[in-house]
Structure formats: C-alpha cells, structure tokens
Amino acid sequence: MSQSFLKILGENTKTVPLTEFMTLGKDTQCQVFLESENVADRHARIEKKDQSYLIRDLRTNNGTFVNDARVMEAFLQDGDIIRIGDRELIFLEKLEETAEFPLKSRNEVWNQELKNLGNVAKTEFPVLILGPSGTGKDVLAQALHENSTRKNGPFVGVNCSALSETLIESELFGHVKGSFTGAISDRKGAFEAARGGTLFLDEIGDLTYSLQAKLLRALENNEIRPVGADRNIKTDVRIIAATHQNMAEKIREGLFRSDLYFRLNVVSVTPPALILRMEDFEELLYGFAKKMRVRFSFGAIARLKKHPWPGNIRELKNLVTRASALYPREHITEEHIEKLIDRTLIQHVDDRVSNDIPVIKEIEKQMIIKRLTANKGNQRRTAQDLGMPKSTLHDRLKYYDIDVTAFKV
Ligand SMILES: Nc1ncnc2c1ncn2[C@@H]1O[C@H](COP(=O)(O)OP(=O)(O)OP(=O)(O)O)[C@@H](O)[C@H]1O
C-alpha cells in the first residue's frame, strides 16, 4: 500500500503522512495536534491494521465522527471525512497529483498560491479573484478556464460596472423581444453564451443590489429567467468573479449581499500588487519590452524599480507601450524614464487607486501572517521569504500590530 495522508482542514490546511500509530488530540504530545476546545487531550487514535488504517475513539464525550456517523472504531477509506470536535480531517490513500498551472512567480508565497490554483482550476467551485486594479485578475480568470475541464467550452466575460441596470440584466440573462425599449429581438445572455464553459463576472462589487438577488437565485437554482420571459432556463456554467473593491467594507455598508458573497467566495485568490512581487519585475518588463521591441538600459531598469507602481502590471505594460511609441528604435535610459512615468497616478492618486490602498495593505498583512505561520514566528526566514529587509518587517509588524509570539509553537 502506498503512503497515506491526513489532510487537516482549517485556516492553515496541512497534510501529514500517516505512520503505524498516531494519536490525535489537543495534548501537544499527540502526533496530530488539534487545537480546539471541543477536542479531548487524547481524542482518537489511528493505527495501521494489515493494509488498512483503523480509527478508534478514545472514549470521549464529544465523540469521533466519520462521514457524520459517530464511531467507536472504523476502517478508513479514501476521502473519508473525520470530525473531531469542530476540526475536520480528510483521510487520503495517496496525495492527489498536483495539476500544473501555467502562471508562475518568483515570489515564493504567490507562486505557492498559483500552484494551488492548478488543482482549483480542475474543480467546478466558483472562484473569487480580489485585489487591486491591474494586478492580472482577468489574466488569472482566463488561465483558470484554460486549465479546467471546461476549456473546450466558451469563456465569456461580463463587466458588471459598465452598463445600466437594465442592460446588465439583459447582458447576463438575455431578454425577449419587446421586454424593454430597445429590445427589438430576442437576445441570449452571457449565462447562455457561456453554456458548457466559464462565465467571468468582472467588477462584481459594482453589481446593483437588486441584480445581486437575481444573480444569487440563478446560482442557487442553476437557472435563469431572461428579461420578459415567462419560463426559466437551466444553466451550465462555472462562475469566476473578480473585483478590486473591499468586499468586507461593501457588506458592512449594506451595499453587497453577504449570501451572494459566500456563494461566490468558495475559493478566493488575491493577486498581489506589483510592489509586493518585485521579484517578477524584470521578467515582466523583458516580456513586454520584447513584444514591443524596445530596450531598457540598466540605469533605466534601476530607476523603474524605485517606482511604486500604483497601477500594477497594467501600468508597467502601458509604460513600455509608451516607450515604444515615443522613442522607437532608441535605447531607453534613465532620462527617458522620467518622462515616461505616469505622474497622474502618483500625484493625483485617482479614486480607484486610493480605494485600492486599504486592499493592498490587507494583502500585505495577510502575506506577512501567512509566512509567519509557516515559519512559526521566525522573523529572519519570514523577511527572507517576503523579500524584504528585517528592519522593514519590524516596521510592518508594528504598523499592523502583529504579535509575533502568537506564531511561536
Ligand atoms: N502575469 C502577467 N504576465 C503578462 N501580462 C500580464 C500579467 N498579468 C497581467 N498582465 C497584463 O496586465 C494588464 C492588466 O491585467 P488584467 O486586466 O488582468 O488586470 P485586472 O486586475 O483584471 O485589472 P482591473 O481590476 O482593472 O480589471 C493586462 O494588459 C494584462 O495583459
């Protein structure tokens, strides 16, 4: 029998290989340490019997559950869900093969998330892509589609902020002739157009409240009703949604329905701001420069690296496009850069970008917390992983009020 594993679900899901004999509980001596109030010190035991694994409850009050049935002992089968107190674990006979994902990063944290997306892509789960403008949410949505089992079906994108309420409703669900002024013939909506494929709902945070209710109904029942129609149509789409808005804030302000948010947010991913993944900067720059046939001097690149990139990858791409248009066949130097940098974004900090700043901070905070957790509070390794000097990490910890001792085990 090949190596079996236990996947411990939770905020920091981890997978541990099973040995001949393991105890599970909240005593730190347990091989599988489960920190939770409803878990007994020594709660259950898993032992290898012949070629199988047997789980035994250690006479606890709360009990041990396998696939929702309380058990005193049970042989485990691949995919069984074990519940102990409020912790859930999955028994895996072998690890799933990791599906490749075409997007990669030199930033270790982001690269790990991209790797996980290879597996996410293969599922039917909705994905919510959050984060600042220009970070590649659209690119990510397309990559998810192209690596899904629906890749031979259509990828249909709808920008939920671009049109009036009536037009968006018709854009999403379609309409029948005469249902509103201008509806001169029947029209299929995006749900229909994306049948068998992926529907990408961009700027979902801008969807009006009444359309949020209609979208929720469509997702819950897998059916839609075109505007003016008297019958529903079954749908067959995978949903990917994206927004640069701070959704927690929108929900708090009563502008976004939490029930729709939870439907969309089965898996969420936040591409980091460019400034937080500068390890990728040169590769991105060279990629754009090659396509647009411009060359940058070392001095120019050094100058570009000092720029804060509030418009993220889009801003970088635009700068290279501007360079190729303004200085064709020239070698771009530091002097050119001063003229090429888009100061409107830095000086006036337009509304979208200023709205993004809390999001950027939240992403940075979450990245720091993730690395501190993985490194058990080790600041040197955390700073190294995040590609920042230790002194910067200290400043950030103070700024975000993160207590490092909480991560030490
Ligand atoms: N990894 C990448 N490699 C190359 N180009 C990229 C990458 N990610 C994004 N881009 C380019 O950057 C630009 C912005 O990307 P995209 O439109 O996906 O961002 P976005 O986060 O969806 O922006 P918005 O929130 O404004 O819709 C696009 O021109 C895209 O082609």
Side-chain angles (χ1 to χ4, degrees):
M1 189 176 152
S2 57
Q3 172 71 61
S4 297
F5 295 85
L6 262 190
K7 192 169 189 172
I8 308 166
L9 304 180
E11 223 174 277
N12 299 300
T13 296
K14 61 177 179 183
T15 306
V16 291
L18 280 171
T19 56
E20 296 279 319
F21 187 92
M22 290 174 110
T23 30
L24 297 80
K26 74 162 182 258
D27 188 313
T28 49
Q29 300 295 313
C30 290
Q31 289 86 352
V32 180
F33 172 59
L34 299 171
E35 200 176 15
S36 170
E37 279 198 2
N38 300 323
V39 174
D41 285 349
R42 296 178 74 255
H43 198 112
R45 192 163 72 203
I46 296 181
E47 57 189 86
K48 199 167 183 183
K49 279 235 158 178
D50 303 324
Q51 288 307 302
S52 303
Y53 281 95
L54 181 77
I55 186 163
R56 241 188 250 279
D57 181 75
L58 296 176
R59 296 173 189 275
T60 59
N61 294 333
N62 292 337
T64 297
F65 295 79
V66 175
N67 299 331
D68 280 336
R70 186 169 183 162
V71 296
M72 282 314 294
E73 56 176 45
F75 277 105
L76 292 170
Q77 290 182 4
D78 189 35
D80 276 351
I81 299 176
I82 304 163
R83 190 159 51 76
I84 288 179
D86 46 15
R87 301 302 306 267
E88 277 189 344
L89 306 92
I90 303 181
F91 173 73
L92 298 168
E93 263 176 11
K94 60 181 170 54
L95 278 187
E96 315 97 89
E97 298 267 309
T98 307
E100 272 283 311
F101 196 62
L103 300 179
K104 308 257 182 295
S105 170
R106 289 179 194 274
N107 177 292
E108 200 199 313
V109 182
W110 179 229
N111 198 44
Q112 188 53 50
E113 295 210 26
L114 288 171
K115 267 193 196 161
N116 296 341
L117 288 185
N119 291 328
V120 170
K122 300 276 179 261
T123 70
E124 286 285 303
F125 294 140
V127 179
L128 181 61
I129 311 176
L130 299 163
S133 204
T135 46
K137 297 191 288 299
D138 208 319
V139 169
L140 208 53
Q142 300 213 22
L144 282 167
H145 170 72
E146 277 151 26
N147 288 276
S148 74
T149 50
R150 291 172 170 268
K151 65 176 177 228
N152 295 326
F155 175 87
V156 177
V158 178
N159 186 332
C160 301
S161 73
L163 300 166
S164 69
E165 169 145 3
T166 322
L167 287 180
I168 281 282
E169 182 169 359
S170 143
E171 185 85 11
L172 285 174
F173 307 126
H175 65 243
V176 294
K177 185 177 167 183
S179 51
F180 58 90
T181 324
I184 49 170
S185 57
D186 285 2
R187 179 175 190 263
K188 278 188 179 167
F191 267 92
E192 272 289 87
R195 180 171 290 281
T198 303
L199 177 55
F200 175 47
L201 303 173
D202 201 3
E203 304 301 355
I204 190 79
D206 293 333
L207 203 65
T208 62
Y209 207 80
S210 64
L211 274 184
Q212 289 171 29
K214 288 182 183 161
L215 178 61
L216 179 65
R217 222 170 305 131
L219 301 184
E220 276 177 348
N221 305 329
N222 290 327
E223 47 181 43
I224 49 156
R225 178 171 295 200
V227 181
D230 50 14
R231 258 187 294 161
N232 291 349
I233 303 172
K234 277 275 165 214
T235 59
D236 172 16
V237 294
R238 196 245 184 120
I239 301 283
I240 300 180
T243 179
H244 72 281
Q245 309 246 23
N246 183 332
M247 294 305 280
E249 212 162 85
K250 286 221 116 189
I251 293 169
R252 253 197 318 275
E253 288 169 359
L255 298 173
F256 203 89
R257 299 178 64 113
S258 55
D259 43 8
L260 176 59
Y261 174 76
F262 288 120
R263 267 250 148 210
L264 297 170
N265 185 19
V266 177
V267 178
S268 78
V269 54
T270 307
L274 180 54
I275 195 85
L276 297 176
R277 50 179 288 208
M278 286 304 273
E279 301 91 328
D280 292 327
F281 183 81
E282 288 192 26
E283 204 166 315
L284 285 166
L285 175 70
Y286 290 136
F288 296 138
K290 195 170 159 200
K291 257 193 216 142
M292 320 228 188
R293 296 169 188 274
V294 281
R295 285 187 308 128
F296 289 82
S297 72
F298 286 128
I301 295 173
R303 170 66 189 91
L304 288 174
K305 282 185 177 168
K306 288 191 192 136
H307 181 65
W309 300 107
N312 298 299
I313 303 180
R314 177 176 295 113
E315 188 188 355
L316 175 61
K317 191 172 174 182
N318 288 348
L319 182 136
V320 180
T321 312
R322 255 195 319 277
S324 76
L326 291 174
Y327 310 111
R329 289 177 296 278
E330 279 184 56
H331 197 205
I332 309 293
T333 65
E334 225 174 320
E335 287 74 55
H336 291 113
I337 299 295
E338 295 310 322
K339 295 180 199 127
L340 285 167
I341 282 182
D342 187 349
R343 304 206 177 269
T344 44
L345 276 182
I346 321 173
Q347 282 163 6
H348 306 294
V349 186
D350 79 2
D351 285 354
R352 279 189 72 160
V353 175
S354 68
N355 282 341
D356 287 346
I357 287 174
V359 182
I360 296 175
K361 285 188 179 153
E362 187 52 34
I363 297 165
E364 183 177 61
K365 184 176 169 189
Q366 291 310 324
M367 283 185 127
I368 293 174
I369 289 175
K370 264 194 190 167
R371 290 327 295 163
L372 277 173
T373 312
N375 293 323
K376 301 193 172 70
N378 183 317
Q379 293 183 49
R380 190 182 49 79
R381 274 208 302 272
T382 300
Q384 233 166 31
D385 288 354
L386 294 166
M388 57 171 72
K390 225 175 135 197
S391 55
T392 311
L393 179 64
H394 281 157
D395 292 345
R396 299 282 206 280
L397 293 175
K398 229 189 256 164
Y399 179 80
Y400 294 124
D401 202 13
I402 300 173
D403 175 12
V404 187
T405 53
F407 298 88
K408 299 206 159 123
V409 231

